[in-house]
């Protein structure tokens, strides 16, 4: 039957691991409200030459102290990205930033191994210092430095139908938000929508269903959210495909109908992703 084809496709290796990771991250993030100590480690630095410019790209892992993360949360940033973050934070948090050191720009010898090694350590200390200051750690300027570029890239890839590449990028954005402790924000719901859409497009239906379940748990307390209707409709459709219980979502959809929400005009999750302005 077509149903069994869907299920066997959903259980292909490669898909199921992500859902287990998501569920595990979800359980951990719900149980730890206190900020965990994060370590920022520059794991590599490479010199990139473009047509008219040359710069060093630093790859940084976000690591929870005392835990082994099978799939690391990573970012790749250049000096000018750090400089922009430093400038924005000094504008908004001048008192807090007074004690934060930032590596000065050099006119020469930017590409020597010694300079790159010193800068790598300086950037690790810079991010650790920022993360230790409550106001800064929770600020959009600090948080979006980490995950906004991935969300923008994942959105572009999803819109152009490059679902496998998009899935990896949404998953990294998920891990970054998890490490930073912002698993209840609107950006996080958008990330779950991106994961659900890409899994569905890649026929990993159990994984897509799991992402919808997680989003609906987050939306439990909210009677009206732009993503609530789309997530409920996706959940009902996917639950039917993978043979899971869909009655609760159907009941919530009925409640929305009775409250006057025109569900026929509700966008799909994919349409929500395409329309969202990520700036």
């Amino acid at each position: 039957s077509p149903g069994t084809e869907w299920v066997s496709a959903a259980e292909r290796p490669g898909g199921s691991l992500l859902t287990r990771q998501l569920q595990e991250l979800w359980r951990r993030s719900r149980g730890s409200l206190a900020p965990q100590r994060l370590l920022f480690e520059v794991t590599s630095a490479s010199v990139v030459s473009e047509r008219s410019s040359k710069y060093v790209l630093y790859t940084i892992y976000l690591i929870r102290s005392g835990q082994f993360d099978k799939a690391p949360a990573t970012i790749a940033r250049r000096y000018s990205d750090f400089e922009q973050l430093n400038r924005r934070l000094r504008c908004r948090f001048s008192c807090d930033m007074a004690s934060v050191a930032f590596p000065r720009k050099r006119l020469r010898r930017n590409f020597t191994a010694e300079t790159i090694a010193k800068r790598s350590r300086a950037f690790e200390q810079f991010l650790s210092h920022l993360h230790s200051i409550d106001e800064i750690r929770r600020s959009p300027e600090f948080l979006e430095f980490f995950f906004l570029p991935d969300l923008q890239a994942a959105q572009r890839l999803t819109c152009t139908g490059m679902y496998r590449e998009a899935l990896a990028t949404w998953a990294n954005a998920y891990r970054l938000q998890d490490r930073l402790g912002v698993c209840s924000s609107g950006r996080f719901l958008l990330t779950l929508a991106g994961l659900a859409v890409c899994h569905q497009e890649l026929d990993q239906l159990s994984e897509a269903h799991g992402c919808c379940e997680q989003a609906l748990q987050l939306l439990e307390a909210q009677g009206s959210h732009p993503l609530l209707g789309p997530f409920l409709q996706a959940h009902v459709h996917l639950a039917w495909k993978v043979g899971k219980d869909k009655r609760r979502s159907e009941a919530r959809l009925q409640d929305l109908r009775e409250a006057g929400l025109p569900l026929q005009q509700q966008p799909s999750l994919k349409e929500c992703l395409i329309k969202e302005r990520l700036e």
Side-chain angles (χ1 to χ4, degrees):
S1 75
T4 52
E5 285 169 24
W6 282 107
V7 174
S8 60
E11 286 169 354
R12 278 202 298 265
S16 56
L17 175 65
L18 182 67
T19 296
R20 283 203 300 277
Q21 283 173 349
L22 290 178
Q23 287 164 346
E24 179 58 30
L25 288 171
W26 174 242
R27 277 198 297 274
R28 286 211 304 257
S29 67
R30 291 189 83 180
S32 62
L33 294 173
Q36 288 180 302
R37 181 145 180 270
L38 262 191
L39 306 174
F40 300 90
E41 187 182 321
V42 176
T43 56
S44 66
S46 49
V47 177
V48 179
S49 293
E50 286 179 348
R51 285 180 300 281
S52 58
S53 68
K54 188 174 163 186
Y55 59 87
V56 180
L57 196 64
Y58 298 87
T59 299
I60 297 157
Y61 280 24
L62 279 68
I63 303 161
R64 283 196 193 89
S65 62
Q67 287 185 13
F68 173 69
D69 288 318
K70 288 191 290 293
T74 69
I75 59 170
R77 300 287 181 271
R78 51 195 283 189
Y79 182 90
S80 57
D81 297 322
F82 285 103
E83 196 174 37
Q84 186 185 21
L85 173 66
N86 181 52
R87 219 173 24 248
R88 291 179 72 193
L89 290 173
R90 283 185 198 279
C91 277
R92 192 171 156 207
F93 303 102
S94 52
C95 291
D96 283 323
M97 291 294 291
S99 62
V100 178
F102 186 77
R104 281 204 307 277
K105 211 174 184 79
R106 297 173 67 106
L107 296 175
R108 295 192 310 279
R109 297 173 60 81
N110 276 309
F111 302 103
T112 65
E114 186 189 11
T115 299
I116 291 170
K118 276 185 179 162
R119 281 224 173 129
S120 298
R121 300 295 81 78
F123 287 142
E124 288 174 350
Q125 288 161 3
F126 174 67
L127 293 176
S128 292
H129 196 161
L130 295 178
H131 189 258
S132 71
I133 302 167
D134 282 353
E135 286 288 302
I136 290 176
R137 182 174 60 238
R138 291 195 281 262
S139 70
E141 291 89 345
F142 179 72
L143 292 167
E144 291 184 349
F145 168 79
F146 292 96
F147 56 78
L148 188 59
D150 267 6
L151 293 181
Q152 290 167 330
Q155 184 186 46
R156 277 194 305 276
L157 290 164
T158 306
C159 290
T160 51
M162 297 178 72
Y163 300 113
R164 202 163 291 287
E165 296 86 345
L167 182 62
T169 311
W170 287 119
N172 190 59
Y174 182 112
R175 290 191 291 270
L176 287 166
Q177 290 169 89
D178 171 63
R179 303 295 188 276
L180 293 160
V182 284
C183 284
S184 57
S185 70
R187 299 280 203 216
F188 190 66
L189 283 166
L190 192 75
T191 307
L192 287 171
L195 288 166
V197 165
C198 291
H199 277 309
Q200 187 167 359
E201 294 287 348
L202 294 166
D203 280 357
Q204 297 165 356
L205 300 192
S206 293
E207 285 75 6
H209 175 264
C211 293
C212 290
E213 294 246 283
Q214 214 184 45
L216 290 173
Q217 283 179 300
L218 278 174
L219 289 164
E220 189 72 53
Q222 301 205 32
S224 65
H225 185 283
L227 288 171
L228 179 57
F231 266 123
L232 285 169
Q233 289 180 318
H235 185 251
V236 167
H237 172 74
L238 288 160
W240 176 71
K241 291 275 191 191
V242 299
K244 293 274 172 68
D245 188 0
K246 60 189 193 308
R247 285 168 301 185
R248 179 154 169 66
S249 287
E250 285 174 331
R252 289 179 77 183
L253 276 171
Q254 186 56 36
D255 290 343
L256 291 180
R257 265 189 213 98
E258 287 167 9
L261 190 71
L263 290 173
Q264 285 73 27
Q265 288 131 47
Q266 283 282 290
S268 67
L269 278 182
K270 195 172 181 181
E271 286 163 347
C272 292
L273 280 181
I274 291 166
K275 282 191 224 154
E276 182 73 23
R277 296 178 65 127
L278 286 168
E279 289 162 352

